Amino acid sequence: MVEGQAQLLEKLGICNEISFMRTLLKTGVSQTDRNLHIRDEQFDKVPVRIYEPKHPSGEPRRCLIYIHGGVGMIGTINAYAAVCRLFALKTKSMVVDIGYRLGPEHPHPAQFEDCMSAVTHFLKEAKNYGVDPNRIILVGDSSGGTLVSVVCHHLVTRRDIPRVRAQVLIYPSLQIVDATLPSYQQNSFVPVLVGKRIFHLIVKFSNEEVGDISGFMKNAHVPDYFLVKYRKWISADLIPDEFKVRGYVPIAPAPFSEKLYKAAELGFREDLCPLFATDDIIRQLPETFLLTCEYDPLRDDGLLYKKRLEDNGVPVTWLHLKKGYHGIMYRNDLLPIELKDAKRAMEHMANFIQRY
């Protein structure tokens, strides 16, 4: 409903849709907490916000580097303050939230470059912040989970900096090659995120004009050779049958559309799509916590990535929320309601994080 209002305001020339969503997300989010020291800094010219528990630590701290979601356009440090405060308090960790540049004003690869710069800077400088460089965990939700995955993929070959200890992926977006997967079909009309909304935002990010976006839902944006090449990793055949009971019908691809392909072209970059990574990269990834939600078109992205990781010997702690939806972990201080499933998910993530 909110997304519809934002689109209507833009059509009427009253307010830009993305600007409206940015303002709405940060409304009612407190930027302070009596139990935390909170300060803004820059890591290699990238703005970050640091949340540090006030209670003293008898040893170098653990640190979570948080990369927030928002399709690379909407999420901000201010909008995610409540989320980061909760992670810091529940896990007794320092949290660093990266304020990467946003699209469409700053096109790709600005978001990835900022995250890589901030993460590598902190891995090198962790000791100066009282952090054990071997206890650094990357956390990201939605498109932030995409960025966490891609950063981890790029870091596995680095020998000049400490290794990331673990990654926490919260309903991550990991591919846009197949929009006919069961989770896309089952959640085509389920709030908060629906399949068409994903591609609407992708088009916004790319600054392309495509008109009707319905072709995305039949994979009209995907060249035939791509579907064949990556079928071994991205296919409904790899989704367990228990996740098809809510409904799934194989859909033949629509005729290829060059216009749709151009709008979604970034999603075909092998160095940017986590599910395209080769096995020699996947098997070097750190231990992973993965959260998926039943009422989320991105659910199957997580299931496919879970299989890739496990097939390559990477330990995975998986939690699936049968009543969960995309965005369930987002918090706002105006509505301090903690849903039962969100609370359970946070407890599982905190337990995982506190192993390190």
Side-chain angles (χ1 to χ4, degrees):
M1 183 170 66
V2 171
E3 290 86 351
Q5 293 172 345
Q7 292 176 44
L8 177 61
L9 289 173
E10 180 167 291
K11 287 180 180 179
L12 294 174
I14 297 172
C15 179
N16 175 271
E17 175 187 355
I18 300 304
S19 299
F20 177 81
M21 294 299 296
R22 288 176 189 170
T23 301
L24 188 66
L25 270 183
K26 68 181 180 182
T27 300
V29 180
S30 174
Q31 308 300 317
T32 63
D33 192 293
R34 64 179 182 176
N35 297 306
L36 297 169
H37 293 295
I38 303 174
R39 64 188 186 275
D40 292 339
E41 292 193 18
Q42 289 200 345
F43 288 174
D44 197 14
K45 299 181 180 180
V46 178
V48 300
R49 180 164 295 167
I50 300 174
Y51 302 80
E52 186 171 6
K54 288 184 177 179
H55 71 269
S57 176
E59 58 182 353
R61 288 192 185 277
R62 175 196 310 111
C63 182
L64 314 181
I65 300 180
Y66 199 95
I67 304 180
H68 51 253
V71 206
M73 296 186 293
I74 299 170
T76 64
I77 283 178
N78 288 339
Y80 272 80
V83 175
C84 291
R85 293 189 341 253
L86 183 66
F87 268 101
L89 294 171
K90 290 290 187 181
T91 67
K92 299 179 175 61
S93 307
M94 177 185 288
V95 173
V96 174
D97 187 13
I98 301 175
Y100 56 84
R101 287 170 290 171
L102 300 177
E105 302 96 319
H106 302 281
H108 172 81
Q111 297 73 34
F112 167 69
E113 288 177 344
D114 285 357
C115 291
M116 274 294 292
S117 294
V119 170
T120 54
H121 174 88
F122 191 72
L123 286 170
K124 294 175 181 177
E125 300 293 331
K127 290 182 179 179
N128 295 328
Y129 290 84
V131 168
D132 183 342
N134 297 308
R135 300 178 70 198
I136 296 176
I137 299 170
L138 267 56
V139 185
D141 69 291
S142 192
S143 61
T146 315
L147 287 165
V148 164
S149 300
V150 174
V151 168
C152 282
H153 285 199
H154 281 76
L155 288 176
V156 294
T157 58
R158 295 281 295 267
R159 299 293 179 260
D160 58 322
I161 51 178
R163 286 178 56 83
V164 170
R165 186 63 186 83
Q167 60 176 346
V168 176
L169 306 177
I170 303 169
Y171 33 77
S173 171
L174 301 167
Q175 64 87 33
I176 59 167
V177 169
D178 194 347
T180 69
L181 291 171
S183 60
Y184 269 88
Q185 293 187 28
Q186 294 163 6
N187 298 300
S188 57
F189 298 104
V190 176
V192 170
L193 185 69
V194 299
K196 279 192 176 181
R197 177 69 179 165
I198 294 171
F199 287 97
H200 169 77
L201 291 170
I202 287 172
V203 170
K204 280 280 185 184
F205 185 88
S206 67
N207 261 328
E208 296 287 340
E209 293 290 338
V210 299
D212 184 12
I213 63 172
S214 60
F216 283 116
M217 309 316 297
K218 294 184 178 180
N219 294 339
H221 60 298
V222 187
D224 289 341
Y225 75 89
F226 235 90
L227 289 172
V228 173
K229 182 177 181 179
Y230 291 105
R231 189 172 293 151
K232 60 182 177 180
W233 293 331
I234 304 174
S235 168
D237 295 339
L238 302 174
I239 303 298
D241 288 341
E242 65 187 278
F243 292 101
K244 299 175 182 176
V245 295
R246 288 175 51 220
Y248 169 68
V249 178
I251 297 175
F256 176 66
S257 166
E258 185 70 35
K259 183 182 289 187
L260 296 185
Y261 170 76
K262 186 177 180 182
E265 193 170 7
L266 283 176
F268 296 93
R269 288 273 302 273
E270 295 189 14
D271 61 334
L272 293 178
C273 176
L275 277 166
F276 293 167
T278 56
D279 287 346
D280 64 310
I281 294 295
I282 295 286
R283 68 173 61 103
Q284 298 182 70
L285 290 171
E287 187 168 350
T288 301
F289 182 98
L290 176 64
L291 176 68
T292 57
C293 294
E294 182 63 23
Y295 297 98
D296 180 2
L298 302 181
R299 179 199 68 195
D300 292 350
D301 288 20
L303 297 180
L304 293 171
Y305 199 54
K306 174 178 177 287
K307 177 174 171 52
R308 291 284 326 269
L309 292 169
E310 291 176 337
D311 286 350
N312 282 278
V314 178
V316 178
T317 300
W318 173 51
L319 176 65
H320 181 66
L321 300 181
K322 293 183 179 180
K323 296 181 180 179
Y325 56 87
H326 194 86
I328 192 172
M329 299 307 299
Y330 185 75
R331 293 174 64 86
N332 184 298
D333 295 301
L334 281 180
L335 298 170
I337 300 171
E338 190 167 22
L339 298 175
K340 184 178 179 180
D341 270 355
K343 184 176 181 179
R344 183 164 70 93
M346 178 55 73
E347 289 173 353
H348 278 261
M349 286 187 283
N351 289 337
F352 173 83
I353 289 166
Q354 288 174 320
R355 296 179 195 171
Y356 307 107

